[in-house]
Amino acid sequence: MLRTHTCGELRLENIDKEVTLAGWVQRVRNKGGLIWVDLRDRYGVTQLIFEEGDADKSLLEKAASLGREFVVQAKGTVIERTSKNDKLPTGDIEVKASEIIILNKAKVPPFIIEDETDGGEDLRMKFRYLDLRRPNVRKKLQLRHRMMQETRRYMDVEGFMEVETPVLIKSTPEGARDFVVPSRINQGEFYALPQSPQTFKQLLMVSGFDRYFQIVKCFRDEDLRADRQPEFTQIDCEMSFVDQEDILQTFEGLIRHLFREVKGLELGEFARMDYSEAMRQYGNDKPDTRFEMKFVELNDVAQGQGFKVFDDAELVVGICAKGAATHTRKQLDALTDWVKRPQIGAKGLVYVKCNEDGSFKSSVDKFFDQQALAQWANKMGAAQGDLLLVLSGEENAVRKQLSELRLKLGEELGLRDKSDYKPLWVLDFPLLEWDEETHRYHAMHHPFTSPKIEDVELLASDPGRVRANAYDLVINGVEIGGGSIRIHDKQLQELMFKNLGFTEEEAKAQFGFLMEAFEYGAPPHGGIAFGFDRLCAIFGGTDSIRDYIAFPKNNSGRDVMIDSPSKISDDQLEELSIQLLKKKPL
């Protein structure tokens, strides 16, 4: 080994010990006859000291020649530091160097490789291998590693078997777009990269594996954002001979285990809420329940007063921001401009201040007197010092708009504490949702989700009212996992395909293998999948999942470090029988 110790482990008990360290030069401070070098590796930083009286001239000259990110080996004796650094675990000691060997020189890096760097995101992604040297980035990947190990530990204790499923599979028309892979051997045919191992894990249940899990890469060709990547990782799970309650209890246990072992926290109650309640009270199927500010419908007290904006609306609905009546006109105008942005789409915002003297000041005083505003305040449970914010319009649209406003206010008022964790199961989703573009129903989760037994009869008469035996786990307004009890009966699965607009031929072509498997004795089964990258971000207290992926893509789906995706040669295209459409000259 080129080292006896790492750069993060030496302490006072190692004083007078001869050691050999190896790592990267983070910083050199040259005071002439005294030189300090901060040496860094994955484990930490240790200070080396070179003194004129204790070292020969050539050693001092070599130390003075070191540049940032040089790879070096250093030998010396551990001594106590006279000026200690309480910000470093190794800050009580330093190594008086007797020898230094340059293992590799380095160019001056394009940004400072420290927690407080001067490199922008684009530059750091281009030189990701340098960015990964920064301690705060490394800690995020260490967190990911720990969560992966603890997940495997819990699942093993609970009797789950880890099974790898294929990466080259068959393309299906449901859900997001597939990434497709041309087959050279079977020309004109294509594999798809899996959006999830859904059908394979169901086949494993038919195979009698009983409890399966996999920490698996999945792929979706969709628009990107901070919490979405074209390739992502899931904790994918399936169980046989279970009902919904068994699934919830088992995987509530997994999340509790991760919080306990990784963060040292004991989670409180896992609340439960129906989808319909979540949409009615929060306008969102993944509500952030760290704070209240629930929706209150105001049609009965706000309409019929001559205010056309309210009178013509399908829904008038508001929220009460406790203690926020101190908002200035400038702040309220800023909120109004914010909800009117195209991304939100509201036409305006009505506010009511509940003054400390019991009076009300609103943006609609022309239409509503003090008595009318008092009715609003009473219905919304407002007290003196509170602020009422009201939107109106088409029901579905206005709920989404108010949901965004609620989250923004929660952030501004400091109600979204990242150290506070509120887990929530959202249950009883609609089985199907209507698509105006295709004029047919689509599966809200996927085609294999079982309907509630009591709602099966509605599939023929009123499909939109059928509830799914499905569940999502939400933490602090972020969906971290979702699943369902599956259909295990061939006849019910055929009925489901029919409601989704599949012909018998289409269903057989796409999923005939699964339907045939059901004829050989499929057990009742269900499962769940957790977004592992998103779960890591929740544990790390950040919004972007990129921080927890070693080599992420940017918002355009590109890896700017290796310049991918890229063109392939004409010979490769010919071998795959692919002809690219060439743009006609203008």
Side-chain angles (χ1 to χ4, degrees):
M1 297 290 287
L2 295 181
R3 60 188 177 187
T4 60
H5 296 77
T6 70
C7 294
E9 67 176 296
L10 295 174
R11 300 292 188 271
L12 286 172
E13 54 265 29
N14 302 115
I15 284 177
D16 295 331
K17 191 167 188 174
E18 294 291 322
V19 298
T20 303
L21 304 179
W24 288 263
V25 173
Q26 180 161 306
R27 191 183 296 111
V28 178
R29 298 184 299 284
N30 191 339
K31 299 296 184 182
L34 194 60
I35 298 175
W36 292 279
V37 175
D38 288 344
L39 192 65
R40 181 193 70 243
D41 65 8
R42 167 186 154 189
Y43 306 94
V45 176
T46 295
Q47 180 172 281
L48 311 178
I49 183 170
F50 301 80
E51 293 186 76
E52 191 169 29
D54 300 318
D56 61 48
K57 188 175 181 181
S58 64
L59 184 59
L60 277 173
E61 289 175 352
K62 186 177 281 191
S65 72
L66 297 176
R68 283 195 292 147
E69 301 309 309
F70 276 35
V71 185
V72 303
Q73 180 191 51
K75 297 180 180 180
T77 306
V78 180
I79 63 174
E80 187 171 0
R81 279 174 72 158
T82 54
S83 178
K84 292 182 171 59
N85 183 347
D86 59 7
K87 295 180 181 178
L88 285 178
T90 59
D92 290 336
I93 59 91
E94 58 192 353
V95 173
K96 181 180 285 188
S98 59
E99 183 181 350
I100 189 159
I101 299 171
I102 297 175
L103 301 174
N104 215 332
K105 294 184 178 181
K107 293 199 301 184
V108 176
F111 53 87
I112 297 172
I113 301 178
E114 295 182 18
D115 285 351
E116 297 299 323
T117 183
D118 57 351
E121 185 177 32
D122 291 342
L123 183 64
R124 288 186 286 109
M125 286 189 73
K126 181 175 176 59
F127 295 93
R128 180 63 169 171
Y129 48 87
L130 297 180
D131 196 35
L132 288 170
R133 292 181 188 175
R134 295 196 300 128
N136 62 342
V137 178
R138 185 179 62 249
K139 286 175 184 175
K140 290 180 171 66
L141 291 177
Q142 287 173 331
L143 171 67
R144 181 186 180 97
H145 165 78
R146 180 80 189 282
M147 291 185 66
M148 199 169 277
Q149 301 312 307
E150 289 298 336
T151 295
R152 286 193 164 98
R153 190 156 73 91
Y154 176 87
M155 299 301 280
D156 184 55
V157 168
E158 291 295 316
F160 286 80
M161 182 184 294
E162 187 166 9
V163 182
E164 292 178 291
T165 53
V167 174
L168 295 175
I169 65 168
K170 185 176 185 176
S171 182
T172 60
E174 291 292 314
R177 295 183 184 90
D178 289 326
F179 282 102
V180 294
V181 180
S183 171
R184 178 185 60 82
I185 297 172
N186 303 286
Q187 293 198 355
E189 297 183 326
F190 295 81
Y191 300 104
L193 301 180
Q195 296 184 34
S196 85
Q198 182 61 46
T199 54
F200 289 101
K201 66 180 180 178
Q202 289 192 250
L203 290 171
L204 284 170
M205 297 303 103
V206 176
S207 303
F209 274 64
D210 192 67
R211 291 192 171 202
Y212 141 94
F213 89 102
Q214 185 180 188
I215 299 177
V216 59
K217 271 289 177 76
C218 301
F219 307 85
R220 290 179 189 170
D221 187 6
E222 56 187 359
D223 295 335
L224 308 179
R225 56 182 187 234
D227 64 345
R228 186 181 285 172
Q229 287 273 296
E231 55 178 304
F232 56 97
T233 304
Q234 285 186 178
I235 307 172
D236 197 61
C237 315
E238 200 79 4
M239 304 170 69
S240 292
F241 304 111
V242 293
D243 58 20
Q244 177 175 287
E245 188 62 31
D246 297 318
I247 301 281
L248 301 191
Q249 291 295 331
T250 299
F251 294 103
E252 188 172 307
L254 170 62
I255 300 304
R256 288 187 184 280
H257 173 83
L258 290 175
F259 270 94
R260 183 185 307 116
E261 298 301 323
V262 177
K263 292 191 71 68
L265 294 176
E266 290 291 342
L267 287 184
E269 177 192 7
F270 278 58
R272 298 186 182 188
M273 184 181 299
D274 288 348
Y275 168 87
S276 58
E277 181 185 357
M279 296 303 294
R280 180 173 55 83
Q281 293 189 341
Y282 299 97
N284 195 323
D285 62 1
K286 46 182 185 295
D288 186 342
T289 55
R290 283 174 293 183
F291 62 104
E292 285 287 321
M293 223 181 286
K294 294 178 181 178
F295 291 9
V296 179
E297 297 177 14
L298 299 169
N299 291 48
D300 58 335
V301 294
Q303 290 182 322
Q305 302 292 317
F307 185 47
K308 189 173 176 61
V309 173
F310 283 179
D311 292 344
D312 293 347
E314 183 179 2
L315 177 66
V316 183
V317 62
I319 53 177
C320 174
K322 294 293 181 182
T326 53
H327 268 50
T328 64
R329 180 59 184 268
K330 183 178 179 180
Q331 288 175 302
L332 292 168
D333 287 345
L335 284 177
T336 302
D337 291 340
W338 188 84
V339 298
K340 290 169 73 173
R341 296 182 311 149
Q343 300 94 316
I344 307 299
K347 294 180 180 178
L349 174 66
V350 170
Y351 70 83
V352 180
K353 289 185 175 185
C354 303
N355 296 324
E356 295 293 347
D357 63 2
S359 66
F360 302 94
K361 175 60 182 172
S362 81
S363 55
V364 286
D365 284 343
K366 180 179 177 181
F367 299 94
F368 298 93
D369 59 22
Q370 292 288 297
Q371 184 178 355
L373 296 177
Q375 283 186 296
W376 295 17
N378 182 60
K379 188 164 188 180
M380 297 177 78
Q384 294 174 5
D386 294 347
L387 175 67
L388 313 182
L389 296 171
V390 182
L391 295 176
S392 62
E394 187 273 324
E395 180 173 358
N396 290 335
V398 79
R399 287 194 187 280
K400 290 179 183 177
Q401 293 158 7
L402 191 59
S403 174
E404 294 295 330
L405 178 60
R406 174 183 177 271
L407 292 174
K408 179 176 176 60
L409 266 179
E411 193 72 45
E412 289 184 356
L413 297 174
L415 303 175
R416 305 183 73 185
D417 181 0
K418 289 185 177 179
S419 65
D420 182 24
Y421 298 94
K422 296 293 185 186
L424 169 73
W425 287 109
V426 180
L427 310 172
D428 295 349
F429 284 81
L431 182 70
L432 307 168
E433 55 185 346
W434 182 256
D435 189 313
E436 290 293 343
E437 291 185 12
T438 59
H439 295 285
R440 69 181 181 91
Y441 282 106
H442 288 263
M444 193 160 187
H445 282 73
H446 54 63
F448 316 108
T449 297
S450 172
K452 290 280 188 180
I453 297 301
E454 58 269 32
D455 291 355
V456 170
E457 291 183 358
L458 292 172
L459 277 171
S461 60
D462 194 356
R465 286 181 53 205
V466 179
R467 294 168 301 159
N469 211 337
Y471 32 82
D472 281 358
L473 182 58
V474 177
I475 297 180
N476 296 357
V478 177
E479 177 201 332
I480 62 163
S484 65
I485 299 299
R486 322 301 187 189
I487 297 171
H488 67 280
D489 176 77
K490 182 184 176 185
Q491 284 70 38
L492 183 56
Q493 187 65 73
E494 286 174 343
L495 180 60
M496 182 67 171
F497 284 144
K498 183 178 179 181
N499 275 274
L500 292 172
F502 284 85
T503 65
E504 285 187 27
E505 293 74 19
E506 288 171 336
K508 185 174 182 180
Q510 292 294 333
F511 304 110
F513 63 94
L514 185 64
M515 302 293 284
E516 184 177 18
F518 283 178
E519 295 184 289
Y520 289 93
H525 59 284
I528 193 168
F530 294 96
F532 186 65
D533 312 297
R534 200 173 289 178
L535 191 58
C536 289
I538 286 280
F539 271 60
T542 57
D543 296 324
S544 174
I545 65 173
R546 285 187 204 152
D547 298 340
Y548 302 87
I549 299 172
F551 300 102
K553 308 288 190 294
N554 67 10
N555 279 343
S556 301
R558 297 196 66 83
D559 185 328
V560 294
M561 182 183 66
I562 64 172
D563 192 23
S564 171
S566 61
K567 294 180 180 179
I568 61 175
S569 70
D570 291 341
D571 288 343
Q572 287 175 289
L573 291 171
E574 185 177 349
E575 192 173 38
L576 295 167
S577 298
I578 294 175
Q579 289 184 327
L580 297 180
L581 293 175
K582 295 183 178 179
K583 292 182 179 179
K584 295 180 180 179
L586 295 175

